[in-house]
Amino acid sequence: MVQPLNYLRETASQTAGLYVHIGLIPKQVGFDIFENQLGETMVTPQTKGERITIEGRVFDATGTPLCDVLLEIWQANAEGRYNHPEDNQDKPVDPDFRGWGRIGSHFDTGVYRFETIKPGVVRGRNARAMAPHINFWIVARGINIGLNTRMYFSDETEANAKDPVLNLIELKKRRQTLIADRQERDGEVVYTFDIHLQGDQETVFFDI
Amino acid sequence: MEPKGEYYQLDRLLHPPALAPNYKTDVTRSYKYALLSLQNSLSEMTGPVFGHNELGPLDNDLIRNYAKDGDPIGQRIIVHGRVLDENGRPVPNTLLEFWQANAGGRYRHEKDTYLAPIDPNFGGCGRTLTNEDGYYFFRTIKSGSYPRRNFVNNWRPADIHFSIFGPAFAQRLIAQMYFEGDPLIWSCPIVRAIPDDEAIRALIVPLDMNATVPLDCRAYKFDIVLRGRRSTMFENRLEGN
């Protein structure tokens, strides 16, 4: 026998299930219970940075969009600073930007949409700059443990080419699954970021 | 504040895999390529912070937060416990959200068509922040079991769903809590997606008589453990040398 290590063990993940909306985004099911639905609005008129819309769908192995998926995003502000006490980069916090949003895909179309700002460059490990990116967390019925991935920006070709995380992906063609395409639509900047849970176009997911 | 140590890796042998085929919805929704292992950067070690001013006064009282003309039907219970990390340290000021079926096993959700009736006085969701010791509590009605189309005759054990943040986005977690003595727990494919029986038992909560309010409300205790983080001096430096 050796001494026990005495660490506690993690609580096991379970699926968010079919009824995740009543817990996390009750307004989507017409359920007016909280005065303030968290994560609904990311940007106010005072928030600094370029306004962008991110939209897309999450597809299953058959190419069918999920109409019951919930997505959260977490991102740095326009200067590349996270609104968190442990971010010690020498950059200002934007008091009008938490950097976190939450949305469910549309019950009929499966489209999700975030209105946010484009983040700046964040310092990565070993002081290597990470290209602007947005962290995604995806849960739904049939997903046993939340999926982590990142969205990068198609107009950041140079920064993406040097990004230490994208460069870890051995199959170069799979890097494309993380790059959202920029378009201008009626004067608004829209990035399309589709996520594929399985199949030839499967998105790169991370074990963080 | 200087960054603290990096997080211990997620225990992929404890958590359920993406594909547990007896839970049939997994089959088309599970990844097939290997996950890309990523060491922590600021993107994973930070996460959203929430304040008390964002919550309402009844958000942790599911007996009252949707009551229209009386109390909901069912057994009154308190659920309480602590959010800790693997080192046993409390996780303070973190957001917990919870949702559940009513006493008859019906969710207030348009996709739920189970025969059991909606309770006009019960919403079935709430939220709270842990205090500085990682402690939380809320009051609710004991949820009922409900059938689902997985196997032909398949019932979910009575459960309460939890969403937990922790200070880092890498700790983000959804879990479910089950009640001691429920015979449906071990035949549920969602529960059994967890490959580790000890980890399943850690989701089953005991009746806690000490926290019961006499003549009023029983209590169950659910402690939640999030990933811990290193604290030795000899770790990798995020910022290089």
Side-chain angles (χ1 to χ4, degrees):
Chain A
M1 286 292 284
V2 296
Q3 290 188 13
L5 277 169
N6 285 335
Y7 290 112
L8 301 180
R9 300 186 81 220
E10 288 175 71
T11 297
S13 172
Q14 292 268 261
T15 178
L18 183 54
Y19 306 124
V20 62
H21 312 86
I22 72 161
L24 303 186
I25 42 173
K27 279 189 189 169
Q28 186 166 340
V29 280
F31 184 17
D32 191 16
I33 183 162
F34 301 135
E35 273 184 37
N36 171 23
Q37 179 164 303
L38 297 170
E40 192 178 26
T41 306
M42 296 183 68
V43 171
T44 67
Q46 288 74 41
T47 306
K48 297 181 187 71
E50 182 189 13
R51 266 59 179 164
I52 63 170
T53 297
I54 301 167
E55 65 175 36
R57 290 177 292 174
V58 180
F59 294 94
D60 74 8
T62 71
T64 306
L66 272 63
C67 297
D68 53 11
V69 67
L70 180 133
L71 304 100
E72 290 186 7
I73 59 174
W74 170 242
Q75 65 169 100
N77 67 21
E79 303 275 354
R81 169 73 145 84
Y82 285 104
N83 192 345
H84 188 278
E86 289 184 43
D87 185 339
N88 63 347
Q89 298 175 95
D90 186 20
K91 299 171 180 175
V93 167
D94 181 346
D96 298 303
F97 189 63
R98 171 153 53 198
W100 173 78
R102 174 191 271 172
I103 195 78
S105 65
H106 190 278
F107 280 144
D108 300 321
T109 64
V111 172
Y112 77 84
R113 185 174 289 111
F114 289 103
E115 314 264 325
T116 183
I117 52 120
K118 191 175 173 196
V121 169
V122 175
R123 186 194 64 222
R125 295 179 68 84
N126 303 312
R128 284 180 67 187
M130 296 191 285
H133 65 276
I134 294 183
N135 307 288
F136 274 66
W137 181 77
I138 302 148
V139 295
R141 179 171 75 101
I143 296 177
N144 291 326
I145 179 164
L147 297 171
N148 293 100
T149 190
R150 290 183 177 190
M151 185 197 109
Y152 287 83
F153 296 83
S154 65
D155 51 317
E156 296 283 349
T157 319
E158 207 172 308
N160 291 343
K162 292 185 207 151
D163 181 79
V165 171
L166 285 173
N167 277 294
L168 282 176
I169 303 169
E170 282 185 39
L171 287 170
K172 282 191 179 165
K173 71 172 188 182
R174 298 200 68 215
R175 296 177 190 172
Q176 291 304 318
T177 67
L178 304 189
I179 297 173
D181 187 44
R182 179 183 175 113
Q183 290 168 334
E184 302 220 0
R185 194 191 296 165
D186 305 327
E188 292 183 4
V189 176
V190 181
Y191 287 91
T192 303
F193 188 51
D194 287 335
I195 293 164
H196 294 265
L197 299 181
Q198 196 188 108
D200 292 345
Q201 304 175 76
E202 186 175 305
T203 299
V204 175
F205 298 109
F206 299 129
D207 186 6
I208 59 171
Chain B
M1 189 189 293
E2 286 300 304
K4 297 176 188 165
E6 292 176 44
Y7 285 85
Y8 304 147
Q9 69 175 25
L10 195 85
D11 186 349
R12 293 274 168 187
L13 300 179
L14 175 156
H15 289 287
L19 176 61
N22 282 330
Y23 174 25
K24 294 182 180 174
T25 319
D26 281 358
V27 174
T28 57
R29 296 185 170 196
S30 44
Y31 53 82
K32 289 273 201 292
Y33 287 95
L35 297 176
L36 182 72
S37 297
L38 207 57
Q39 287 179 282
N40 290 175
S41 73
L42 282 172
S43 296
E44 291 75 39
M45 294 177 68
T46 58
V49 178
F50 302 94
H52 286 279
N53 59 342
E54 298 183 83
L55 306 186
L58 290 179
D59 283 2
N60 72 339
D61 187 356
L62 281 67
I63 290 182
R64 291 283 156 75
N65 73 5
Y66 204 70
K68 302 298 179 203
D69 56 5
D71 285 350
I73 302 290
Q75 301 175 347
R76 299 157 64 84
I77 61 168
I78 290 166
V79 178
H80 75 130
R82 295 174 80 199
V83 181
L84 303 167
D85 73 9
E86 290 171 278
N87 296 315
R89 295 193 186 103
V91 180
N93 307 313
T94 207
L95 181 67
L96 294 187
E97 297 158 289
F98 17 87
W99 65 101
Q100 62 169 97
N102 68 23
R106 175 80 181 263
Y107 286 85
R108 183 176 282 279
H109 189 293
E110 64 189 58
K111 303 286 183 200
D112 189 354
T113 54
Y114 179 38
L115 303 170
I118 293 280
D119 184 331
N121 293 309
F122 190 66
C125 64
R127 53 195 189 179
T128 191
L129 290 167
T130 57
N131 72 9
E132 61 277 13
D133 300 316
Y135 183 72
Y136 76 91
F137 65 93
F138 63 95
R139 189 167 75 153
T140 187
I141 292 294
K142 190 165 183 278
S143 54
S145 346
Y146 51 99
R148 47 188 295 274
R149 289 182 188 275
N150 186 68
F151 304 136
V152 173
N153 185 15
N154 205 174
W155 296 74
R156 292 232 63 216
D159 63 350
I160 299 180
H161 303 254
F162 278 73
S163 156
I164 310 111
F165 277 83
F169 209 51
Q171 293 173 299
R172 194 78 184 84
L173 179 70
I174 284 187
Q176 298 184 28
M177 173 200 114
Y178 307 103
F179 295 92
E180 173 182 33
D182 189 333
L184 294 166
I185 294 170
W186 293 92
S187 60
C188 172
I190 290 178
V191 175
R192 296 296 288 272
I194 301 169
D196 181 311
D197 287 357
E198 189 189 330
I200 292 177
R201 281 191 285 273
L203 299 180
I204 305 173
V205 297
L207 178 68
D208 180 356
M209 285 298 284
N210 288 346
T212 286
V213 181
L215 307 176
D216 178 343
C217 197
R218 290 180 300 153
Y220 288 89
K221 182 163 175 284
F222 183 40
D223 286 337
I224 295 165
V225 181
L226 301 180
R227 293 164 68 178
R229 59 200 308 188
R230 289 197 270 275
S231 55
T232 65
M233 292 183 292
F234 303 112
E235 62 194 50
N236 295 331
R237 291 189 192 163
L238 279 179
E239 298 168 49
N241 294 307

